Amino acid sequence: MENKLYSSPVFTLTEHSSIHDALILMQTNFIKRIVVVRDKKPVGIVTERDINRFLENDNTKRALDEIMLKEIMKKNLITVIDNQQDHLEQCATRMETFKIGSIIVTDDNGNLAGITTQTDITRFYAKMYPGKYKVKDYMTDKVFTCRHSDSLKFALETINKNNTSRLVSTDNMGNVKGVITTNTFLKHSSYFKKPTKTREYLLPSESASNLAVSDLVKNEVLMIEPDDDLATAAHLMVRNNVSGVPVIVMQRNKLVGIVTKFDIVRAFAEVLPHRKLLDKYRMFH
């Protein structure tokens, strides 16, 4: 698996599977997306965020097992054919261009062969490009935060309202305590223990309304500094199975940004163009 350019086999469902089926598959396999297939051919893709967004805008009262994936899946798939020499570069460039988290890999006949995700790109970046860029070259300085003492409901509303995947959680002094993501909610959801008719699958049980962010986010904070090597950040994400790391100026304990797998993808997409530009520049000077 270590040197494989894509994940295979892929977790798949059909157009007639339900949101409920997709969530069960995501939750039990710790994945964020499902490829929808018809006769071995990929016809759509569904992410956890697609589900969340759809439910927010869907005014019907249907339960999650009554809504089929054909209603919510993205149909305009971005794919790449297996065995390309520059597979990783192609995938990273497409991810950056279309702002997506994965590229579907097909064989010459258009059958599903695998999927390359931001995690794959991040893993290869950590190995291939140490010393290339610093964290500050690619981090995002706009960070959405919440307090460790905030309710889970408030945190989830903040995530949805800002169309983000994660919040950095701080104490009342602004010290970073951890990161909470939609995946955190999915992992701890009680919807899967006894599926009900609720559509609030991320906050299904009544008791959850009393829980705070600190109940789900333990104080095991991964942090990185702006001047650290971006490959170190990539390695940290892959090793700890997280999709983003807060960027802190340790001396002042000041939160200055966040670096995510998507930032690593952006860097990966630019390594070669940067190198080619440099080579060109050297030729003329």
Side-chain angles (χ1 to χ4, degrees), residues 8-53:
S8 173
V10 186
F11 291 100
T12 61
L13 288 170
T14 73
E15 298 157 278
H16 306 295
S17 308
S18 67
I19 286 182
H20 170 78
D21 299 329
L23 287 172
I24 294 277
L25 204 53
M26 286 176 186
Q27 213 247 0
T28 49
N29 296 287
F30 306 110
I31 51 171
K32 294 179 183 172
R33 54 187 65 78
I34 306 281
V35 179
V36 182
V37 291
R38 191 192 302 142
D39 302 327
K40 292 188 186 168
K41 292 191 168 30
V43 292
I45 192 163
V46 175
T47 66
E48 201 273 320
R49 276 180 85 176
D50 294 335
I51 293 173
N52 216 344
R53 213 171 282 141

Side-chain angles (χ1 to χ4, degrees), residues 1-6 87-88 120 123-124 127-128:
M1 185 63 208
E2 273 304 288
N3 290 310
K4 214 167 170 202
L5 300 180
Y6 54 83
H87 178 92
L88 294 169
D120 295 316
R123 193 176 70 245
F124 277 100
K127 284 184 195 161
M128 292 165 67

Side-chain angles (χ1 to χ4, degrees), residues 223-237:
M223 298 187 211
I224 196 123
E225 295 211 64
D227 281 320
D228 285 342
D229 186 352
L230 190 62
T232 307
H235 183 66
L236 210 54
M237 287 182 226

Side-chain angles (χ1 to χ4, degrees), residues 110-232:
N111 294 329
L112 179 64
I115 189 166
T116 293
T117 66
Q118 291 182 6
T119 306
D120 295 316
I121 301 287
T122 303
R123 193 176 70 245
F124 277 100
Y125 182 91
K127 284 184 195 161
M128 292 165 67
Y129 298 120
K132 196 80 193 160
Y133 299 122
K134 287 190 182 336
V135 168
K136 64 184 177 191
D137 299 332
Y138 283 93
M139 71 182 202
T140 308
D141 51 16
K142 187 180 184 192
V143 192
F144 296 108
T145 61
C146 66
R147 297 273 174 90
H148 224 43
S149 52
D150 284 336
S151 72
L152 287 181
K153 197 168 172 49
F154 175 80
L156 190 58
E157 280 164 4
T158 308
I159 282 176
N160 291 337
K161 194 173 71 206
N162 293 295
N163 197 16
T164 181
S165 308
R166 66 188 65 77
L167 301 174
V168 174
S169 165
T170 66
D171 64 14
N172 293 342
M173 306 294 292
N175 301 314
V176 174
K177 289 290 179 187
V179 176
I180 188 164
T181 67
T182 49
N183 254 41
T184 317
F185 285 99
L186 196 60
K187 208 160 48 188
H188 292 90
S189 169
S190 59
Y191 169 82
F192 302 97
K193 294 189 185 85
K194 47 171 199 330
T196 58
K197 285 290 178 195
T198 182
R199 290 165 55 125
E200 287 205 337
Y201 65 92
L202 290 176
L203 282 178
S205 66
E206 289 305 310
S207 59
S209 54
N210 306 321
L211 294 178
V213 171
S214 56
D215 290 311
L216 294 196
V217 178
K218 301 300 165 233
N219 295 355
E220 297 163 15
V221 195
L222 296 171
M223 298 187 211
I224 196 123
E225 295 211 64
D227 281 320
D228 285 342
D229 186 352
L230 190 62
T232 307

